[in-house]
Amino acid sequence: MIGLEFEKPVLELKGKIAELKEFTSTSDVDLTEEIEKLEQRLKKLEKDIYESMTPWDRVQMARHPERPTTLDYIGYLFTDFMELHGDRLFGDDGAIVGGVAKYHGMPVTVIGHQRGRDTKENIKRTFGMPHPEGYRKALRLMNQAVKFKRPIICLIDTKGAYPGKAAEERGQSEAIAKNLFEMAGMEVPVICIVIGEGGSGGALALGIGDKLFMLENSTYSVISPEGAAALLWKDAAQAKRAAETMKITAGDLKELGVIDAIIPEVSGGAHRNVAQQAALIDQTLKPALEELLQLSVPELLGERYMKYKQIGEYTL
Amino acid sequence: MIKDLFNKQKPKKKKYATIPTEASKQDVPEGIMQKCPKCKKIMYTKELKKNLNVCMQCGHHHGMTAVERRDSFIDEGTFQEFDAGLTSTNPLNFPGYLEKVDVDKQKTKMNEAVLTGVGRVEGFETVVAIMDANFRMGSMGSVVGEKITRAIEEAGRRGVPFIIFTASGGARMQEGVLSLMQMAKTSVALKRFSENGGLIISVMTHPTTGGVSASFASLGDYNFAEPGALIGFAGRRIIEQTIHEKLPEDFQTAEFLLKHGQLDAVIHRHEMKEKIAFLLDIHQQGGELA
């Protein structure tokens, strides 16, 4: 397990406990009492550390190399997932995956950004940063969902849309804009969940829906902390400061009225136990979907309109 | 002195700059002349303005303020502004943000980076939103998003077209994710307007990038641009760093987008009003075969 800087004390203590346990089992000296004491200390330490994470700690957690990806969650949240490929216009973008699945028995369409789980896969999936064909594939699958009246579930996890020459030539702006526009009118429930990094327009292009949730240690921002620091203070090294100033954590977004709820994470981060994390997502997702399924199409679209209409702060 | 003799052999650059006297300064008041950044021709500002800020020599389209744009596009005396008083707060408590907004308010005499209102274009009633790149680089924060959204809604109520002239560096960093969400808000409003049959015309002017190009700027039933305008999602430098490749000179210009099928047409500023008025005429209900 790869440890982050701020959680080092926890990991060190865990290591020590493991050592003592090993020692107890192989020698005559009984250290059970000491181990118990240390385990209690560990519990307290975990509570202290994981409950007082700074925004920057959460950024690290959201980017953790072992953080579960869209496909990891799909395996736990849905049964009988079938991946569907291609935008029918240009190609198939591995940075976005999508398909049909069953959620508690109900047919749904699920779409999400997909990071690679190792370098080779990351190159194939351009590090989860989509090209226009990715967004157009997503839109194609969403339109299909509407035709067959399937709810849409989007999992958001990207540093942003891919900044490349080909992406610009094929209309990155238009592809994102079109998704925002069309998602506003999808005549089925749309639920969006930020599971890792929600990076700017590239994230938003899968993010217009009736409910927007964020995992506790995910982030959602207009620009990466490094980018913000470079722009605002001409110094990318100030990313930590930017992470605080820019208000990018789930708690911040809840306070700003942008998201509907925060999905709690397994102590120490989602990667500690994917199955348990998927269950925590399920606990929020299921009632939300049940609620939305009660609404008529005009009610659904009317509420979606008002949800976005009220975002923003200004005075007269 | 002997020392000076030696110095003379190697003539040094003139040590002193001539500081013009107050009187001579007033001879050529600031801003009376302007140099075209493209062809370097020096022109009278007044003449340039008369030519709608298009260079008389090379045709380069200089920037336009929102007010200049309105005057060049809307029939005289028909414009009524919306939401002139709407102004930014500081939702993230970003240090120094409101001070910067205030400086630009003074500089541009605008409340924010977009001017919205209703007017006539060769007689056709139209709601317009005109962005001004001189106000915080035309960036979109809550006020820009709200003004544009309200303008779209007003166009819907009146049953008239919505025309937007974009000029923006993208999202307003100092409003963080709220500025990102203005992309969503304006797009959601455009969708409803469009579903009800509303006509959307987008004219991208220099520059139209980031979150603005990835929302309403690209959502017109017709997407146009002015010649030479920079239009794109990601910044040139970021792309070069990502793909380790030098980008072509014309990358992300209006002409580049046209070539790649991203625009309906590139329209010269001198023909803008006439061509858009033609489209507005095309969209009048109930034509009749003569």
Side-chain angles (χ1 to χ4, degrees):
Chain A
M1 182 117 348
I2 299 165
L4 298 172
E5 195 56 39
F6 74 93
E7 56 178 354
K8 257 194 180 150
V10 172
L11 300 179
E12 272 167 19
L13 192 55
K14 268 191 180 166
K16 262 184 205 152
I17 293 171
E19 255 173 52
L20 288 182
K21 276 186 177 163
E22 168 92 20
F23 187 72
T24 309
S25 65
T26 53
S27 75
D28 298 335
V29 190
D30 184 20
L31 293 170
T32 320
E33 212 176 298
E34 281 80 357
I35 291 172
E36 240 168 57
K37 258 191 208 158
L38 284 181
E39 274 180 339
Q40 269 173 10
R41 225 174 91 192
L42 177 67
K43 255 192 196 158
K44 191 175 174 299
L45 193 64
E46 278 188 320
K47 199 168 138 63
D48 287 351
I49 285 187
Y50 293 125
E51 284 178 13
S52 60
M53 284 168 68
T54 67
W56 185 243
D57 295 337
R58 293 190 199 278
V59 169
Q60 302 308 311
M61 198 66 106
R63 292 174 179 172
H64 198 289
E66 288 159 10
R67 193 164 176 86
T69 65
T70 293
L71 285 175
D72 295 323
Y73 286 125
I74 285 178
Y76 286 99
L77 282 171
F78 307 100
T79 49
D80 312 313
F81 171 69
M82 181 192 231
E83 187 175 350
L84 304 168
H85 295 273
D87 68 344
R88 302 293 186 273
L89 299 162
F90 177 82
D92 184 40
D93 186 355
I96 288 183
V97 295
V100 286
K102 281 198 173 173
Y103 180 64
H104 292 282
M106 176 182 266
V108 297
T109 287
V110 51
I111 300 165
H113 299 96
Q114 183 64 41
R115 287 179 293 115
R117 280 160 288 193
D118 53 49
T119 308
K120 202 173 150 211
E121 199 193 349
N122 254 326
I123 288 166
K124 193 181 111 191
R125 300 193 182 277
T126 53
F127 295 83
M129 300 163 88
H131 279 72
E133 50 272 25
Y135 296 117
R136 289 173 183 144
K137 167 170 71 177
L139 184 57
R140 181 178 77 81
L141 296 179
M142 288 189 252
N143 283 329
Q144 185 187 63
V146 172
K147 176 175 175 187
F148 297 106
K149 301 195 167 37
R150 291 192 289 265
I152 299 166
I153 295 159
C154 291
L155 302 180
I156 295 169
D157 184 17
T158 183
K159 288 182 188 303
Y162 189 78
K165 181 165 172 262
E168 297 287 322
E169 285 171 348
R170 295 201 285 275
Q172 190 72 290
S173 290
E174 194 272 348
I176 294 172
K178 188 51 77 63
N179 276 21
L180 308 182
F181 183 79
E182 294 299 342
M183 287 182 87
M186 293 288 159
E187 294 178 343
V188 294
V190 183
I191 298 179
C192 311
I193 307 172
V194 186
I195 58 171
E197 279 183 276
S200 191
L204 190 65
L206 294 185
I208 310 296
D210 306 299
K211 297 278 180 194
L212 176 59
F213 303 124
M214 281 175 78
L215 295 200
E216 191 184 336
N217 294 320
S218 63
T219 58
Y220 202 166
S221 64
V222 66
I223 187 172
S224 71
E226 289 81 359
L231 260 177
L232 294 164
W233 304 300
K234 316 264 175 264
D235 180 8
Q238 303 239 32
K240 206 171 161 177
R241 177 177 160 205
E244 269 150 43
T245 316
M246 298 294 289
K247 301 237 163 77
I248 61 174
T249 66
D252 292 331
L253 267 83
K254 183 81 181 59
E255 219 165 276
L256 289 167
V258 174
I259 63 167
D260 295 283
I262 302 170
I263 298 175
E265 277 191 32
V266 175
S267 172
H271 58 288
R272 306 265 167 199
N273 191 336
V274 187
Q276 205 185 332
Q277 188 58 54
L280 286 167
I281 293 174
D282 192 47
Q283 278 173 26
T284 301
L285 180 56
K286 190 158 176 268
L289 186 55
E290 276 164 353
E291 180 197 319
L292 294 173
L293 286 168
Q294 304 300 314
L295 302 177
S296 68
V297 170
E299 281 170 342
L300 193 69
L301 296 185
E303 285 185 19
R304 196 180 300 162
Y305 190 91
M306 287 319 292
K307 177 180 170 60
Y308 288 93
K309 169 80 181 145
Q310 55 82 28
I311 300 179
E313 288 186 24
Y314 44 84
T315 80
L316 262 179
Chain B
M1 288 282 192
I2 289 180
K3 218 172 150 194
D4 292 337
L5 272 175
F6 285 113
N7 275 349
K8 259 182 196 162
Q9 287 177 332
K10 214 170 88 189
K12 274 193 175 166
K13 266 190 191 164
K14 207 172 164 189
K15 263 187 189 165
Y16 312 100
T18 326
I19 297 165
T21 60
E22 278 308 305
S24 69
K25 254 191 194 167
Q26 279 160 9
D27 277 347
V28 187
E30 192 149 335
I32 202 167
M33 304 291 276
Q34 220 166 308
K35 191 171 166 185
C36 174
K38 201 166 174 211
C39 71
K40 314 287 180 222
K41 184 181 164 66
I42 294 168
M43 294 160 282
Y44 281 108
T45 304
K46 263 195 181 163
E47 234 179 340
L48 186 64
K49 289 225 183 300
K50 225 169 147 187
N51 202 34
L52 302 182
N53 288 358
V54 176
C55 174
M56 274 85 79
Q57 181 164 287
C58 72
H60 176 69
H61 284 48
H62 292 236
M64 245 183 166
T65 67
V67 170
E68 284 171 339
R69 174 85 56 189
R70 176 199 66 194
D71 293 346
S72 77
F73 187 71
I74 300 289
D75 299 346
E76 210 182 326
T78 65
F79 186 76
Q80 282 173 278
E81 190 178 349
F82 301 151
D83 305 307
L86 221 56
T87 181
S88 290
T89 60
N90 193 354
L92 307 191
N93 293 316
F94 205 95
Y97 174 44
L98 289 182
E99 288 76 2
K100 282 183 177 155
V101 168
D102 277 339
V103 168
D104 283 5
K105 273 187 192 169
Q106 302 285 323
K107 191 176 85 185
T108 61
K109 309 269 180 292
M110 289 178 61
N111 64 328
E112 254 293 346
V114 66
L115 172 71
T116 56
V118 63
R120 288 184 178 273
V121 180
E122 291 189 3
F124 299 110
E125 189 183 330
T126 308
V127 167
V128 287
I130 306 171
M131 301 187 82
D132 194 321
N134 300 303
F135 195 107
R136 307 278 348 120
M137 287 171 63
S139 58
M140 171 161 62
S142 297
V143 175
V144 170
E146 180 67 15
K147 282 183 81 172
I148 290 173
T149 302
R150 288 188 189 184
I152 295 164
E153 289 177 334
E154 185 58 29
R157 275 190 290 271
R158 290 172 184 252
V160 301
F162 175 72
I163 301 179
I164 184 150
F165 289 89
T166 61
S168 172
R172 173 102 30 109
M173 294 300 138
Q174 293 89 343
E175 291 191 29
V177 74
L178 289 181
S179 70
L180 180 70
M181 289 297 153
Q182 303 310 308
M183 292 169 66
K185 178 168 164 171
T186 50
S187 301
V188 170
L190 279 177
K191 176 67 179 175
R192 176 177 280 189
F193 177 68
S194 181
E195 289 282 290
N196 293 326
L199 166 64
I200 307 161
I201 299 176
S202 165
V203 182
M204 297 176 233
T205 75
H206 181 79
T208 296
T209 60
V212 166
S213 84
S215 58
F216 49 79
S218 298
L219 292 174
D221 295 297
Y222 304 92
N223 292 334
F224 301 122
E226 282 195 335
L230 171 76
I231 304 161
F233 181 65
R236 188 186 187 97
R237 213 163 1 124
I238 292 167
I239 296 174
E240 283 182 339
Q241 281 165 8
T242 307
I243 63 172
H244 306 293
E245 202 182 304
K246 195 103 184 85
L247 293 164
E249 184 83 344
D250 72 337
F251 187 63
Q252 294 180 326
T253 58
E255 292 74 15
F256 174 92
L257 265 80
L258 184 69
K259 192 169 82 189
H260 285 97
Q262 305 297 333
L263 290 175
D264 287 292
V266 175
I267 301 181
H268 193 286
R269 194 176 285 161
H270 287 166
E271 298 174 344
M272 190 64 75
K273 183 168 180 175
E274 178 196 336
K275 290 213 164 157
I276 288 186
F278 166 76
L279 262 187
L280 294 176
D281 185 34
I282 286 278
H283 285 267
Q284 294 304 299
Q285 295 291 315
E288 229 174 77
L289 287 174

